[in-house]
């Protein structure tokens, strides 16, 4: 069953090895495990529902609790420490656009705030029920999950917007197709959530970001139904899909989405290349990204992330051998690992890989074959479980991400890592912060930093640590010309930093847009725009 | 000098051969030349200016006339017959964002309508001054044309938004770069115009539509300055570039734009392939488009366009030989010509071309080498001059274009051509209507139809013919699920058909957006939204 206070399925454990724990202890000190709050206790905190009764709404405490949080660190603190704060007054699981319409009409009539939900994997505080007197309804779309239409000629598939990643891929695979959208949250996030937050998957280099995949659909808004027809391209005024993309539940509920699909790839492979240092690695990946090769993934870890991945990989003897070989080839303490993915028809995929390896060579790139890449692919969704394992040993894991043009990529990486270290110093704590470039573009890269640090052991102290860290990292992003999010969205956590990139006029323009479609402002209030 | 009542430069003539004229006479009857109105006469029609004086505004009649029209057929009728109707009360040629600001403030203060202008190549009635009591100011951006910054690391170039295509490419070429945006209007259209109308160039398969190229910029709106920073990608709420794209002057004036550029291609070639009939050709190009090959262009002519191109090509003996060879290979009366372009590094470009030719073969594709393609490239911007030549022999040329998903491509092509024939039948006239797919996508294609028909010889009758034809073609587009424009924009001519794809809520959303940025609605009133 879905874990109520952590990531994923509660039958899946991902243990940290003794070596991994020793590595962390050496880096940031030994952690002290913290006792988790009990589900029944936490449910008992959920107050009475203030919602006017409606046939589709479930007001039982556990259902409300299970729709009260995403996966941001503050969400975790609320659940683990049992300090739940607000929760929706009820949850509805509509099964049709008509039922969504009925719920929105009900909410408008009674002045109820509405939070659309998919799989609840937000790491930016998209799902928190606002405090105040207004009742809050969570509308969970995950029962709307059917493949409704597949147009193989145009390679378009229409799904209920609440379909989970694996379910979507299984329905497509049965017909020989794939969407190719694989964010790390894939197993528990939904199509509608991806669209509402402008998600980007690990193989976006081949399949595009969700913006490129999203071709049309239907949105129920408080002002009525917005129908988005599919065209291969159009010059007819404003592209209204762009109004829906990244709207984070502020203007309505996406009930159905048509997405671009592709035939299942005939061939797929992930290869690893090591570079002697960051400078060489960054130059090489920039050149590869700018060569417009039909690759499916480029993912470059900085030296500390590379070290961490090797330390946590297990297979100590194999890794030692690998490191010996790499050292002989010039890749030592500062080495950086690049993963290169290809997906598609065999001949062009292999040709693209060869070209990429050729471009890596002059920068000291050492190709070590498929083993590391295959391992990464195997664990691509399991690594998220590390967060559960780390917590049980007294460690918090959090991430921040941004994207910047090439001249600022390295500056950004160092600034974010440094900001985190400074932020935790005031608590006498160290942070283990490492970074990878998760998505590579001709123009620049996303910069994705992971923080591991020790839990203080109580809600207030841990919230304070997180707040300091989040603020410092976000300020570093803004000050160095990055976007406040490349792939996680804005939600509550990033909302204070949005004006830095949108400007006052941009912010008011977004607000005017949302208010037009939601004049009473019942939709996900407080998210995205502060 | 720029021709005041037709396309392009008045030193360039593109004569129609005797064979071409015979071909047209046989298809739709002989044309009767019409005498053009005289520039001085037309200028004399321009009334006094109602604008409050401002240091930047020129109110002389000829300048106002030269900024009164685009290149739509109604624009031509106004100029050629000397029935000018409305013209702006004055024209400003600002040289900086400050001057644009000054002009907008002046316009707001005195309730002046503002029409932003680039090269004046609109074929959809974007530039017509509205009738009524309000004075009208044309703001012509073409003095803002400098390459202001080139970031070679991120492959981004920042230009004044009024830069013409050839000037933009020349400034980039001097640094080893290209934008790669080559619409047919290239010689006389501007970067800002491309962005405001969501333009698409002939090599969009390689370089993308202007939407993909436009990475950031500055827009002066009546409500203030909208600054759009550059990021490689972002998940931070609404992408405000999308608010500017396709806004057709309704929300402000783009003064500066940052675009993605690419190194000049090491290799470029255009090859021709013939197919025995439409069915085979369409299936082949769909498969090629869906193979995601790094091509730069696919352009498929239907049988009548193929016939027309060969008839107008000159070199009668060579063409006869070619047709003989094609007939032996199975391509006869119904043959369709496909042009395939590749641009980039030599090895991958040639490999992509080989792959495309392999995909064409099973559908009866006959590769005839580079000659036809080179010829097409040579004449890509000269063909527009045909419109001048045809007019001088008593013929009108007009085009409509749309895009649809694959299952409707052939239906659309036949419906638009048929609608035009029916529309002109009521005048006892025939139309020579032929079509090509100008832009190919995995999802579908743009469908671009050219109409040649005889002029009636007076303004009212020719406007009536055009209105009938335009309405019939537009209705055919809407009824068959196409977008009202794939690359020309909406302007005045397509505005009545926009609601069919946007819906009432979509239309009001666009209006709300524009009104937020332009509360007094001074910007290009009546365009885009009727």
């Amino acid at each position: 069953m879905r874990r109520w206070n952590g990531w994923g399925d509660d039958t899946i454990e991902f243990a940290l090895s003794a070596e991994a724990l020793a590595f962390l202890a050496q880096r940031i000190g030994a952690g002290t495990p913290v006792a988790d709050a009990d589900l029944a206790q936490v449910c008992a905190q959920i107050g009475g529902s203030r919602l006017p009764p409606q046939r589709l709404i479930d007001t039982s405490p556990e259902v409300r609790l299970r729709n009260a949080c995403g996966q941001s660190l503050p969400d975790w603190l609320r659940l683990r420490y049992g300090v739940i704060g607000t929760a929706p007054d009820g949850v509805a699981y509509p099964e049709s656009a008509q039922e969504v319409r009925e719920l929105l009409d009900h909410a408008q009539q009674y002045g109820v705030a509405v939070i659309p939900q998919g799989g609840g994997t937000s790491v930016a505080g998209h799902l928190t029920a606002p405090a105040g007197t207004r009742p809050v309804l969570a509308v969970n779309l995950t029962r709307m999950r059917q493949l409704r239409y597949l147009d193989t000629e145009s390679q378009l598939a229409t799904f209920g917007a609440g379909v989970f990643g694996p379910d979507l891929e299984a329905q497509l695979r049965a017909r020989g197709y794939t969407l190719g959208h694989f964010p790390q949250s894939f197993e528990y996030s939904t199509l509608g959530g991806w669209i509402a937050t402008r998600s980007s998957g690990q193989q976006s280099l081949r399949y595009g970001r969700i913006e490129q995949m999203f071709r049309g659909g239907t949105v129920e808004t408080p002002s009525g139904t917005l129908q988005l027809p599919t065209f291969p391209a159009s010059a007819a005024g404003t592209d209204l899909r762009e109004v829906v993309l990244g709207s984070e539940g502020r203007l309505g509920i996406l009930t159905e989405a048509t997405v671009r699909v592709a035939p299942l790839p005939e061939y797929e492979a992930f290869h690893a290349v090591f570079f002697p240092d960051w400078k060489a690695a960054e130059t090489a990946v920039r050149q590869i990204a700018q060569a417009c090769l039909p690759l499916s993934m480029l993912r470059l870890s900085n030296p500390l992330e590379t070290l961490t991945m090797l330390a946590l990989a297990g297979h100590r003897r194999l890794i030692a051998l690998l490191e010996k070989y790499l050292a002989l080839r010039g890749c030592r303490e500062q080495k950086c690992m690049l993963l290169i993915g290809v997906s598609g028809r065999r001949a062009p995929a292999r040709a693209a890989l060869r070209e990429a390896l050729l471009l890596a060579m002059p920068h000291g790139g050492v190709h070590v074959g498929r083993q590391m890449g295959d391992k990464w692919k195997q664990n691509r969704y399991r690594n998220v479980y590390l967060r559960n394992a780390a917590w049980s040993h007294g460690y918090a894991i959090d991430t921040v991400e941004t994207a910047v043009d090439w001249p600022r990529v390295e500056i950004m990486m160092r600034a974010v890592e440094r900001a985190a270290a400074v932020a935790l110093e005031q608590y006498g704590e160290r942070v283990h912060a490492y970074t990878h470039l998760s998505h590579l573009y001709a123009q620049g890269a996303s910069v994705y930093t992971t923080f591991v640090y020790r839990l203080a052991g109580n809600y207030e102290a841990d919230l304070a640590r997180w707040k300091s860290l989040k603020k410092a990292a976000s300020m570093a992003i803004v000050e160095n010309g990055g976007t406040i999010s490349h792939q996680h969205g804005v939600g509550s956590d990033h909302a204070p930093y949005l004006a830095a990139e949108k400007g006052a006029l941009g912010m008011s323009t977004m607000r005017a847009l949302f208010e037009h479609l939601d004049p009473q402002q019942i939709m996900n209030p407080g998210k995205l725009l502060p």
Side-chain angles (χ1 to χ4, degrees), chain A:
Chain A
M1 193 180 181
R2 185 84 181 268
R3 196 180 299 252
W4 72 276
N5 65 352
W7 181 260
D9 191 286
D10 55 16
T11 63
I12 298 176
E13 291 289 347
F14 195 88
L16 279 172
S17 66
E19 288 125 1
L21 285 169
F23 174 78
L24 280 180
Q26 175 246 313
R27 299 279 316 170
I28 52 173
T32 311
V34 178
D36 285 339
D38 179 75
L39 175 59
Q41 279 175 343
V42 180
C43 283
Q45 284 181 38
I46 306 282
S49 172
R50 302 164 295 177
L51 279 172
Q54 208 279 351
R55 68 182 187 102
L56 299 169
I57 301 175
D58 183 343
T59 58
S60 58
E62 188 174 332
V63 169
R64 289 165 59 196
L65 176 69
R66 285 181 178 271
N67 284 274
C69 290
Q71 292 283 331
S72 73
L73 203 89
D75 288 331
W76 270 53
L77 298 179
R78 288 161 64 199
L79 294 168
R80 294 283 183 161
Y81 288 116
V83 183
I84 201 62
T86 59
D89 293 274
V91 184
Y93 290 85
E95 298 186 6
S96 67
Q98 288 74 14
E99 288 188 357
V100 169
R101 192 74 258 158
E102 183 183 328
L103 290 162
L104 287 184
D105 291 346
H106 180 76
Q108 285 210 100
Q109 190 182 344
Y110 295 101
V112 170
V114 175
I115 305 180
Q117 304 247 1
T121 60
S122 161
V123 288
H126 285 99
L127 306 174
T128 319
T133 55
R134 183 151 58 152
V136 179
L137 170 65
V139 177
N140 187 306
L141 277 296
T142 55
R143 287 198 190 145
M144 294 175 68
R145 44 163 293 274
Q146 295 298 317
L147 171 58
R148 291 180 188 160
Y149 186 67
L150 178 67
D151 168 0
T152 55
E153 217 178 317
S154 296
Q155 305 191 334
L156 294 176
T158 302
F159 280 95
V163 64
F164 284 110
D167 190 359
L168 174 145
E169 284 292 337
Q171 292 184 70
L172 286 177
R173 192 174 304 111
R175 309 282 298 270
Y177 287 85
T178 179
L179 175 62
H181 191 71
F182 305 113
Q184 203 176 27
S185 63
F186 174 74
E187 293 183 310
Y188 293 101
S189 52
T190 64
L191 175 56
W194 299 336
I195 293 167
T197 59
R198 291 185 178 270
S199 165
S200 187
Q202 290 161 342
Q203 280 159 267
S204 67
L205 209 53
R206 159 72 182 84
Y207 296 104
R209 292 171 62 88
I210 201 71
E211 289 99 309
Q212 282 96 47
M213 299 173 179
F214 176 48
R215 305 306 300 166
T218 308
V219 188
E220 298 298 334
T221 83
S223 293
T225 304
L226 192 63
Q227 202 76 53
L228 305 166
T230 61
F231 301 119
S234 170
T238 311
D239 185 344
L240 295 170
R241 289 173 304 171
E242 293 286 344
V243 168
V244 177
L245 284 158
S247 59
E248 303 194 354
R250 286 302 302 258
L251 55 71
I253 295 179
L254 183 68
T255 57
E256 183 175 285
T258 301
V259 285
R260 185 175 83 182
V261 296
L264 283 166
E266 164 190 315
Y267 177 79
E268 183 160 86
F270 297 90
H271 285 243
V273 177
F274 285 83
F275 292 90
D277 58 35
W278 180 258
K279 217 55 163 182
E282 190 194 305
T283 308
V285 294
R286 194 183 73 231
Q287 289 178 4
I288 296 172
Q290 292 177 344
C292 303
L293 303 171
L295 303 169
S296 65
M297 192 180 86
L298 288 168
R299 186 192 190 283
L300 175 66
S301 299
N302 76 354
L304 191 52
E305 178 164 310
T306 303
L307 178 74
T308 306
M309 286 174 84
L310 295 176
L312 268 58
H315 312 285
R316 204 158 39 142
R317 254 175 314 190
L318 266 173
I319 296 289
L321 265 175
L322 172 71
E323 294 202 283
K324 208 159 172 183
Y325 168 71
L326 288 172
L328 284 171
R329 301 284 307 271
C331 300
R332 301 186 176 87
E333 296 73 27
Q334 292 302 308
K335 66 182 169 290
C336 297
M337 185 171 79
L338 169 67
L339 294 176
I340 306 180
V342 284
S343 311
R345 283 172 310 126
R346 185 177 306 266
R350 295 176 71 139
L353 181 67
R354 270 195 307 275
E355 285 245 27
L357 295 174
L358 275 176
L359 288 169
M361 266 172 40
H363 304 283
V366 180
H367 179 211
V368 299
R370 290 183 58 159
Q371 212 168 2
M372 298 292 296
D374 288 345
K375 191 87 195 155
W376 172 86
K377 192 194 168 184
Q378 227 176 75
N379 288 324
R380 64 201 285 192
Y381 309 126
R382 301 205 63 146
N383 280 329
V384 204
Y385 284 90
L386 263 181
R387 213 175 173 199
N388 296 340
W391 183 279
S392 70
H393 291 283
Y395 296 108
I397 300 184
D398 202 15
T399 62
V400 302
E401 41 82 44
T402 180
V404 267
D405 296 346
W406 280 115
R408 290 184 291 231
V409 166
E410 186 181 352
I411 296 165
M412 179 64 79
M413 173 177 86
R414 302 207 186 283
V416 169
E417 291 185 355
R418 176 88 196 117
V422 170
L424 287 181
E425 249 167 35
Q426 64 181 297
Y427 303 99
E429 290 293 321
R430 284 176 290 167
V431 65
H432 180 58
Y434 51 86
T435 300
H436 65 270
L437 309 186
S438 60
H439 296 74
L440 281 293
Y441 302 88
Q443 183 180 337
S446 67
V447 178
Y448 190 107
T449 304
T450 301
F451 307 115
V452 189
Y453 60 97
R454 294 198 296 184
L455 289 168
N458 69 75
Y459 178 79
E460 289 73 20
D462 274 316
L463 189 61
R465 283 187 189 183
W466 175 81
K467 278 187 175 166
S468 299
L469 192 152
K470 186 71 174 182
K471 185 175 178 183
S474 300
M475 289 303 295
I477 287 172
V478 162
E479 283 163 7
N480 289 287
T483 174
I484 197 60
S485 177
H486 167 269
Q487 63 201 71
H488 290 161
V490 177
S492 317
D493 298 349
H494 302 143
Y497 308 97
L498 189 61
E501 66 198 81
K502 302 293 183 191
L505 189 57
M507 294 295 274
S508 69
T509 301
M510 289 170 66
R511 197 177 294 279
L513 203 53
F514 300 155
E515 286 185 9
H516 177 73
L517 294 165
D518 173 25
Q520 291 182 48
Q521 300 178 59
I522 61 169
M523 298 304 307
N524 214 5
K527 312 302 161 25
L528 184 50
L529 302 180

